[in-house]
Amino acid sequence: MEVDGMNACNDLVSESNSSVWKENGCLHRALKILGRCEQQNSNGEAVVSGNSGHDISDVDESSCVGSRAANMKTAVTELDSGVLNTKVRDVGSEHRSTAQGGGKEGEERSHIPITPSRGEVSCEEAVSWHPLDGVSHQVESSSHRQGLCCNLYIIQLFVIMFRRGLSDAEIADLINHSDTLDNVESDSDDSECNGVFEEDEIDDSLSSDEDENDVEGVASNPAAVPYPKDSEWTAVDTYRPLPVNTTPRQILVDIDESSSVLDCSKVFLTDSDVNELKRQTNLYASQTIQKKRRGNNLKPHSVLSSWKPVTISEMRRFLGIIFHMCVSKKPKIADHWSTNPVLSCNFCPHVMSRLRFTQILSCLHLVDNSNQKKPGEDGFHPLYKVLPYYNNLKERCIQAYRPSEKVTIDEGICPFRGRVSFRVYMQNKPHKYGLKVYAVAEASSGYVVNFEVYAGKHIVDNSSSAVILRLLSDSSLLNKGHTVYLDRFYSSPELFQQLAEKGTGAVGTVNKSRKGLPKDLVSAKLKKGEMSFRRKDNVLAMKWKDKRDVYTLSTRHQATFGTHTKRNGSVVLKPLQVLDYNLNKIGVDIGDQRLQYNPFQHRTVKWWRKLYFHLLLMGVSNAFWLYNAVHRKKITITDFITVLAVQLVEDDTLEFIPRNEGTVGRLTKRHFLQHIPATTKKYAARVCHVCSSRSKKQSGKASRKETRYECEQCGVALCLEPCFKIFHTKKQYDSV
């Protein structure tokens, strides 16, 4: 009788005629395989409990109606008509109900993975067995149909085994004996049903029912749906612990409780940095002035027309004003020198004149532009404008501090809306446009251990795996037992396995479309609170249903649940790796939060200037954490920056720089007369500022009236009377 795989399943379930059973070669194979399995295991002992029958390993087609065949026929006919039909739609649901306690009291059943083998026989109405949800789906693509087999007698065989009570280990033992299967196939060559088992398609790592410690692909608390696994992933949670770093975190620089704010800041902004900043600023100013003079473009009212070389003292004061602007925000830079009582500020006018600050800011430079390579030339680097300080800061962040076991890797952003080739758009950031900064930070403190600025896709390998490995390698964090927490932008099974091989654990969320994830896990249908997992080597892939599906990877956890107490006091169950990830994913976010409290927000068209101030504040954020780590009395990041600005301008080696006379401090502060310090003359004298200004406004020619007195605070020469009083009480002193 000629039958195909589809008709064989229909006949096996619906027909009770013994002639059909006898002549069906598919059942004949099932009888011989089951008979062999029931006869003995590899140790020669009986492996099937229940009714004992005759050995049917030698049963031929004429004796298929024996007692064992009758018992199996009864087992099959007991199945509901909807359990095994041409689409086998309800087998998975029965398995699910059994795994969730739907079986009879005292009955213990293992989940049997059901996978159709791929044989030579194809069917016009091919059916794709979906191993996760137990539901068969019609394969719409004809190209897919061509490669599928309809030998559903194998499914029927597994259902019989399930009904007979065989364990997973016994079935795996059966499948592993491929030589017996080959003999069975040779005995039934005359059958037209050509489906065969393929060893590589059968899961060979099923756990035994007797091992209560193995978790078979699902967690039982809360209830989870059991699903079979992909060929490369296992449903058995055989966890092999990775080494864990137990070395406590340590500050590696020479600071203690007696260290000031400025001392901690000098770890990341050294005197050599300030000196190099001064040198390059003077060089750029000199080059620019010479270029303008050659082209006759240096206008009289240009800020560079009165340029003088910057000193170390002025550069420190300049940086102090920059930090002051971070905590005292104004609409424009010039407003910090405004005489308007609403906008007036006393700090900046006392430290440096507005003109001098503008001169330094316009000529600020970190490198020599004449040495910059063009794109395409050897030695070209997109970050050349900030490269020296960028490399120095990275090295100091690594050398100043040794983090604890748990670190976070994430990306931040330096806000910038100007034009530069490597500007990015990040939808989920408060500032959408800017320069991307990858960072490694300690999970608990937010200290930035290492960072890397994205400078374009053609410079280095910017794949997520390459970035992670490069950051950890440069930070000397590999092979030391650290645990890295990543979000789904970086996570992948391949990366997690690479980190495990390098002695580093990893925990993170993962995109469900990430290459390498088991497809059966992704397509699992779960109810809220349920969890399904797969393991491959050290990597645990998990899907958990909360308000939405959550996909995670971990090399540090097993598929178990833990308790979490909400703010309202209620206790909920969540997977341990989800709880661990939520607790330690915020390392980089802590550092970004500190930067957002006091940013330098003034607009500029130069990307490198924006990035330089961002890196400057990143170093200040690290210095702030070091300061609080060694001091009992903690301060806020705003207080830290405020004190830093004051200490930069209060250096004993600095001389007081005269203010611009048109400030509100001229009218409100206390002022004192003093003799002008003598120089070559016995009695030094200077032109009175009030007399000169008033004469110039009235006649167009400045007066040359001299005086021996000046204001100590303003540094302005003034007559004893009445000019000193007029200058400090009248806003328009030149009109009196």
Side-chain angles (χ1 to χ4, degrees), residues 322-451:
I322 292 294
F323 291 132
H324 163 77
M325 291 178 176
C326 292
V327 297
S328 178
K329 299 175 177 58
K330 307 287 183 184
K332 297 181 295 184
I333 288 181
D335 291 337
H336 291 273
W337 285 266
S338 174
T339 58
N340 187 328
V342 177
L343 299 173
S344 62
C345 169
N346 290 329
F347 181 82
C348 295
H350 279 79
V351 173
M352 182 179 290
S353 68
R354 185 184 67 183
L355 176 62
R356 188 56 172 165
F357 179 85
T358 306
Q359 286 178 331
I360 297 176
L361 182 62
S362 63
C363 295
L364 187 69
H365 252 68
L366 284 75
V367 292
D368 185 359
N369 284 350
S370 60
N371 296 329
Q372 185 176 10
K373 303 294 183 180
K374 295 182 179 180
E377 295 181 352
D378 293 339
F380 168 75
H381 199 290
L383 301 178
Y384 174 79
K385 291 279 190 177
V386 296
L387 198 57
Y389 182 70
Y390 170 77
N391 290 332
N392 290 338
L393 182 61
K394 287 182 62 175
E395 183 178 356
R396 289 165 191 158
C397 290
I398 296 171
Q399 295 178 353
Y401 183 70
R402 181 173 63 198
S404 57
E405 176 215 343
K406 299 178 179 180
V407 296
T408 307
I409 298 182
D410 203 353
E411 72 275 2
I413 192 168
C414 171
F416 181 70
R417 282 186 170 265
R419 302 178 67 176
V420 63
S421 61
F422 45 88
R423 189 192 69 173
V424 299
Y425 172 77
M426 302 179 70
Q427 182 178 6
N428 296 326
K429 295 293 182 180
H431 299 279
K432 309 298 183 185
Y433 293 91
L435 312 179
K436 183 189 292 187
V437 182
Y438 302 107
V440 183
E442 188 179 40
S444 58
S445 66
Y447 178 93
V448 178
V449 181
N450 192 13
F451 61 91

Side-chain angles (χ1 to χ4, degrees), residues 143 348 532:
S143 62
C348 295
S532 181

Side-chain angles (χ1 to χ4, degrees), residues 659-728:
R659 299 180 304 145
N660 186 329
E661 69 278 1
T663 64
V664 86
R666 172 174 63 86
L667 304 175
T668 59
K669 292 293 184 179
R670 293 193 303 170
H671 302 271
F672 301 92
L673 276 173
Q674 69 175 6
H675 285 285
I676 297 174
T679 55
T680 58
K681 297 181 180 181
K682 184 176 180 180
Y683 300 103
R686 291 166 53 192
V687 176
C688 175
H689 182 75
V690 173
C691 294
S692 176
S693 300
R694 184 165 48 194
S695 175
K696 185 176 181 179
K697 185 173 183 179
Q698 293 175 354
S699 63
K701 186 177 180 180
S703 172
R704 297 293 302 172
K705 184 179 178 180
E706 293 185 343
T707 177
R708 293 173 54 192
Y709 299 95
E710 69 176 4
C711 176
E712 181 182 1
Q713 282 68 39
C714 301
V716 178
L718 298 167
C719 295
L720 183 61
E721 280 189 3
C723 296
F724 181 83
K725 180 179 179 180
I726 293 174
F727 181 76
H728 292 107

Side-chain angles (χ1 to χ4, degrees), residues 63 93 170 175 242 277 290 333 350 410 443 485 501 504 563 610 674 696:
S63 60
S93 61
E170 293 164 354
I175 295 171
L242 295 173
L277 186 63
Q290 292 178 8
I333 288 181
H350 279 79
D410 203 353
Y485 294 84
E501 293 171 356
T504 304
T563 59
K610 197 76 171 179
Q674 69 175 6
K696 185 176 181 179

